[in-house]
Amino acid sequence: MLRPVWTGCPYPAPPLALLAPASVWLACLWFLPYVGAFARTEVVPLSGMAVVPAAVAVAELSPRVQLATGSLCLAVTAAVSPHAPLPSALVAGGVLLAIVIAVRSAMRPVSVISRLETVADTAALLAVAEERLRMSRDLHDTLGRHLAIIAIKSELIARTGKLEDMEEVQTLARASQSELRAVVNAVRTASLDDELASARSLLRASGIRCDVTGEDCGPALPREVREALGWAVREAATNVIRHASDATACTITLALSGEGESRSCVLRVVNDGVRDLPAQHLKPGMGMDGLKQRVEPLGGHLDHGLRPRGTYRLLVAVPLAREERA
């Protein structure tokens, strides 16, 4: 009966089932004076002892069950104590009330500790899930572009036989290894300036004209905004290489808009060559989901999709007012 008090574990049986053995204890103690085991004048202290099992059994149940059990115990105590019905009932009621209060008071810290342990376990599971999500998102964002370039360069080498391009493939493979270690160690960040320069170099090396405007406003942005926009530039350049094989031009625009509380930074990436893009490539993938998870905590929003004349646009807007207040 005291198992929940000391361990915080539930009763090994339904609490109401404990009233059955408790009723046997009650009957024995109540009727022992009538068989000569005790003097009938000792029925008052025996009445207090008799209600102990019942009080422990119903201490954690609803007040309605406690009231019903207490009323029954008092009625039976008064009935089997003809010499002192009122003192016996008062003693039984006092003992029952004291035990219920004591058990519930003892259970409160145990219940709080049990809940804290549950919350700690849940927090640990969430932390593990968040870390797995971070690693999968960063692996996709950091290694996706390098793997795409390695695949393209390998195809070119296979077609043209120019082995001098193997040096670039080897450099990209080593960079991928370095970035993989950085992701595992949770130290990988994306620099907006570096990503803009890398995107320009990558797209031009792939035969795509790349125009970047507004990059001079990047250094003035908060660190979190620069990092989120850096990941956006990386994802956009990777998608152009992967999915827009007929692309000839790509425009990357970084601009500040609005004033005061509505001030924000807007990144717009527009490329052509998607007129005949397969339908499955137009569905948002893991990269866009990961980018959305980076932008939304900053209060920003992400928009991407087909535009007229066979173009594709990626737009990321991040408010700056909240960052400045912080």
Side-chain angles (χ1 to χ4, degrees):
M1 292 181 180
L2 291 175
R3 180 183 180 186
V5 178
W6 303 112
T7 66
C9 299
Y11 285 113
L16 287 176
L18 298 178
L19 289 176
S23 63
V24 176
W25 173 252
L26 284 169
C28 291
L29 282 181
W30 273 326
F31 291 101
L32 276 176
Y34 293 93
V35 297
F38 296 96
R40 295 189 179 185
T41 55
E42 297 177 355
V43 73
V44 175
L46 288 178
S47 300
M49 294 177 58
V51 298
V52 172
V56 175
V58 300
E60 284 297 303
L61 300 182
S62 64
R64 182 178 301 177
V65 176
Q66 294 174 0
L67 182 60
T69 304
S71 301
L72 179 61
C73 290
L74 295 182
V76 175
T77 300
V80 300
S81 307
H83 297 285
L86 183 58
S88 298
L90 291 177
V91 170
V95 171
L96 190 144
L97 181 61
I99 291 179
V100 168
I101 293 176
V103 171
R104 294 185 71 89
S105 299
M107 283 294 294
R108 186 177 299 275
V110 173
S111 177
V112 171
I113 294 174
S114 178
R115 292 178 183 177
L116 289 176
E117 291 177 350
T118 302
V119 170
D121 293 341
T122 304
L125 293 176
L126 290 176
V128 171
E130 181 66 22
E131 182 64 12
R132 289 176 177 172
L133 179 62
R134 180 197 67 81
M135 291 189 65
S136 63
R137 181 181 61 202
D138 289 356
L139 285 174
H140 175 275
D141 293 344
T142 56
L143 301 183
R145 182 177 63 178
H146 285 174
L147 294 177
I149 300 173
I150 290 174
I152 293 174
K153 290 293 184 181
S154 301
E155 292 179 2
L156 291 176
I157 293 173
R159 292 177 183 176
T160 62
K162 295 181 179 180
L163 298 180
E164 55 269 18
D165 291 337
M166 284 299 298
E167 294 184 1
E168 185 175 354
V169 174
Q170 293 175 354
T171 301
L172 289 173
R174 295 191 185 97
S176 299
Q177 291 177 340
S178 177
E179 290 190 352
L180 176 60
R181 288 191 291 269
V183 168
V184 172
N185 294 327
V187 297
R188 180 70 176 100
T189 59
S191 170
L192 178 58
D193 296 335
D194 293 343
E195 294 300 335
L196 287 172
S198 178
R200 183 192 294 112
S201 175
L202 170 64
L203 294 174
R204 289 178 178 176
S206 301
I208 302 173
R209 187 180 77 256
C210 180
D211 298 324
V212 180
T213 59
E215 56 185 324
D216 53 340
C217 66
L221 298 175
R223 181 183 60 83
E224 294 81 1
V225 176
R226 292 199 308 270
E227 183 176 344
L229 295 180
W231 288 114
V233 172
R234 171 180 282 252
E235 178 65 21
T238 303
N239 286 342
V240 173
I241 297 297
R242 281 181 174 178
H243 306 308
S245 57
D246 297 333
T248 59
C250 179
T251 302
I252 303 176
T253 305
L254 189 66
L256 300 177
S257 64
E259 295 181 357
E261 294 293 329
S262 61
R263 191 163 176 260
S264 63
C265 181
V266 179
L267 172 70
R268 183 180 289 102
V269 182
V270 181
N271 65 275
D272 59 2
V274 294
R275 187 184 305 275
D276 299 326
L277 195 65
Q280 61 269 22
H281 289 164
L282 299 178
K283 299 179 181 179
M286 182 179 178
M288 287 300 174
D289 291 339
L291 183 57
K292 186 177 180 181
Q293 293 171 3
R294 297 180 189 275
V295 172
E296 286 184 345
L298 301 177
H301 70 274
L302 170 70
D303 180 49
H304 62 95
L306 286 173
R307 288 297 181 268
R309 291 175 296 193
T311 60
Y312 193 89
R313 186 193 71 172
L314 169 67
L315 187 143
V316 179
V318 181
L320 300 179
R322 188 175 69 173
E323 297 293 333
E324 293 173 352
R325 286 197 300 270

